[in-house]
């Protein structure tokens, strides 16, 4: 079965109607573009031009309809995935009164089995749409003999609509592994048996083998301190760092937090601006790492506690000096 049919069958089989990439419609656009290019190349051949069978790097069909349509559909798909993944993880991590409130809002439908199934459906939804986007861009490059598809993919990453770069995908993978570790959730063992936490030369990464020869590897080494991420946060660009390292990079104190960071502050890796205020704590990943390497975690937690006390003390001393005009 071709991927387009497989994709359409999968989307029709979803219990809830979710946004999708219109592969058939986008392929028709490219087919129309190819038909136009064949006509142009025929005229060019008559004039002795060597550019037979090629669509120009820029054309009104693709620039005016294909890319805007794909960009819009990608935005909707990623937005839907992020919203549903965030809601599921918040429900799983909620405690006390908030947990009962969310349980009541969801009409009591928050069993472990249901959570596992919802998580599985979300991960599959993300992966199959990532494959769909990759295939349609590959087809574009094949028709145009250009690298504009790769340029568009880079643009999508800068706009945070590349679904495999979503921080919620990382959290869902950690969510699965936490459930798999729990004795109360043996059913989770069968869902993602090839999803694992790997320590290669003491550098950890989340790894998951996916269908269609895809593999997702997420590095869990902080690029600032070059150690395993502790109290991990993901910036809005998708890069993961330690919370203290992030505060240092954003030139803010741990008391003020990342939301007070200047919007001109740049990610240490990709150099995008304004990525600190919307940073998200990766609580599921934090739990996974703390249970996977307890000795290291305990040692790191003690050193982090000392460092946080020192930084907080320096912050309040500077505030007192400023208040007294010293």
């Amino acid at each position: 079965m071709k991927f387009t049919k497989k994709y359409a069958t999968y989307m029709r089989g979803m219990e809830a109607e979710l946004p999708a990439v219109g592969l058939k419609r986008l392929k028709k656009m490219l087919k129309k573009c190819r038909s136009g290019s064949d006509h142009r190349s025929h005229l060019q051949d008559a004039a002795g031009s060597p550019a037979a069978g090629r669509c120009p790097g820029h054309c009104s069909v693709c620039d005016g309809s294909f890319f805007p349509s794909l960009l819009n559909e990608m935005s909707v798909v990623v937005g839907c995935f992020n919203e549903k993944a965030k809601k599921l993880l918040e429900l799983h991590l909620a405690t006390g009164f908030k947990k009962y409130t969310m349980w009541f809002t969801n009409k009591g439908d928050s069993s472990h089995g249901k959570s596992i199934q919802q998580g599985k459906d979300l991960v599959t939804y993300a992966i199959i749409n990532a494959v769909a986007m990759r295939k349609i861009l590959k087809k574009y490059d094949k028709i145009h003999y250009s690298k504009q598809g790769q340029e568009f993919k880079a643009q999508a990453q800068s706009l945070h609509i590349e679904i495999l770069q979503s921080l919620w995908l990382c959290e869902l993978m950690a969510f699965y592994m936490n459930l798999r570790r729990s004795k109360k959730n043996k059913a989770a063992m069968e869902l993602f048996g090839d999803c694992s936490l790997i320590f290669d030369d003491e550098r950890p990464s989340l790894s998951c083998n996916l269908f269609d020869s895809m593999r997702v590897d997420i590095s869990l080494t902080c690029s600032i301190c070059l150690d395993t991420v502790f109290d991990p946060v993901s910036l809005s660009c998708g890069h993961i760092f330690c919370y203290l390292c992030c505060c240092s990079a954003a030139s803010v104190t741990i008391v003020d937090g990342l939301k007070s960071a200047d919007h001109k502050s740049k990610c240490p890796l990709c150099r995008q601006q304004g990525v600190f205020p919307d940073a998200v704590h990766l609580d599921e990943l934090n739990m996974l790492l703390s249970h996977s390497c307890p000795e290291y975690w305990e040692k790191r937690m003690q050193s982090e506690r000392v460092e946080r006390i020192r930084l907080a003390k320096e912050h309040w001393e500077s505030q007192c000096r400023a208040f007294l005009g010293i």
Side-chain angles (χ1 to χ4, degrees):
M1 183 185 294
K2 290 186 177 181
F3 179 78
T4 304
K5 291 183 179 179
K6 183 192 297 184
Y7 180 74
T9 302
Y10 167 78
M11 294 308 300
R12 283 197 301 268
M14 294 290 289
E15 291 185 7
E17 187 174 344
L18 299 176
V21 177
L23 284 181
K24 284 187 177 181
R25 185 171 51 80
L26 292 170
K27 283 186 175 181
K28 285 181 180 179
M29 289 183 188
L30 292 178
K31 189 175 181 180
K32 180 181 178 182
C33 179
R34 175 182 280 178
S35 299
S37 67
D38 289 343
H39 176 68
R40 287 190 297 270
S41 64
H42 177 72
L43 295 177
Q44 290 169 349
D45 284 342
S49 172
R54 295 196 176 195
C55 181
H58 297 274
C59 69
S60 59
V61 174
C62 294
D63 294 344
S65 58
F66 176 81
F67 281 130
S69 296
L70 182 57
L71 187 67
N72 180 64
E73 290 172 2
M74 287 177 69
S75 300
V76 174
V77 167
V78 175
C80 175
F81 169 76
N82 287 342
E83 181 182 353
K84 289 186 175 294
K86 181 181 178 181
K87 184 178 179 181
L88 174 64
L89 292 168
E90 284 181 346
L91 181 61
H92 180 247
L93 293 169
T95 57
F97 180 74
K98 182 179 179 181
K99 182 174 184 178
Y100 286 106
T101 302
M102 295 184 72
W103 180 84
F104 181 78
T105 303
N106 287 274
K107 301 178 181 179
D109 192 14
S110 59
S111 65
H112 286 299
K114 186 69 173 178
S115 297
I116 291 171
Q117 187 59 45
Q118 287 176 343
K120 178 189 175 188
D121 291 342
L122 279 174
V123 172
T124 307
Y125 175 73
I127 294 167
I128 199 168
N129 276 285
V131 175
M133 295 169 193
R134 185 184 69 172
K135 284 187 175 293
I136 196 66
L137 288 174
K138 187 176 180 181
K139 191 170 186 67
Y140 171 89
D141 284 339
K142 184 178 180 181
I143 290 176
H144 281 260
Y145 294 87
S146 72
K147 294 184 179 180
Q148 283 181 258
Q150 294 299 320
E151 293 174 2
F152 176 82
K153 189 175 180 180
Q155 180 190 3
Q157 290 178 349
S158 67
L159 294 173
H160 311 144
I161 57 173
E162 172 57 56
I163 200 164
L164 292 183
Q165 299 294 325
S166 172
L167 64 95
W168 298 111
L169 182 60
C170 171
E171 274 287 82
L172 278 176
M173 290 169 65
F175 165 75
Y176 267 118
M177 295 185 68
N178 286 330
L179 288 178
R180 187 171 62 184
R181 176 179 48 81
S182 173
K183 293 181 180 179
K184 296 180 181 179
N185 297 288
K186 293 181 180 179
M189 292 287 290
E190 305 300 326
L191 294 179
F192 275 80
D194 55 351
C195 185
S196 57
L197 178 63
I198 299 174
F199 286 87
D200 186 12
D201 294 330
E202 298 185 354
R203 292 184 178 275
S205 64
L206 271 180
S207 179
C208 190
N209 294 318
L210 313 172
F211 63 84
D212 201 48
S213 302
M214 287 189 67
R215 178 185 174 94
V216 173
D217 290 300
I218 302 173
S219 174
L220 301 180
T221 299
C222 176
S223 300
I224 298 175
C225 66
L226 302 180
D227 208 341
T228 302
V229 289
F230 184 87
D231 190 13
V233 292
S234 176
L235 305 184
S236 59
C237 58
H239 292 119
I240 301 173
F241 303 95
C242 305
Y243 178 70
L244 284 185
C245 293
C246 262
C247 289
S248 176
S251 300
V252 297
T253 66
I254 60 171
V255 178
D256 294 329
L258 293 173
K259 290 191 179 297
S260 63
D262 190 336
H263 283 274
K264 292 183 180 179
S265 298
K266 298 179 180 179
C267 169
L269 278 179
C270 64
R271 311 305 295 166
Q272 284 192 46
Q273 293 184 346
V275 294
F276 289 100
D278 296 325
V280 176
H281 273 88
L282 304 180
D283 296 318
E284 290 284 355
L285 179 59
N286 195 53
M287 286 192 294
L288 175 64
L289 289 171
S290 66
H291 285 95
S292 300
C293 39
E295 293 182 2
Y296 165 80
W297 210 252
E298 182 64 28
K299 183 179 178 181
R300 183 73 184 270
M301 190 162 58
Q302 291 177 2
S303 63
E304 287 275 323
R305 186 182 294 115
V306 172
E307 181 66 11
R308 291 189 183 217
I309 291 173
R310 183 186 69 81
L311 292 173
K313 183 179 179 181
E314 287 182 356
H315 170 78
W316 291 116
E317 284 179 350
S318 66
Q319 291 294 312
C320 289
R321 286 195 297 270
F323 179 74
L324 296 174
I326 300 176

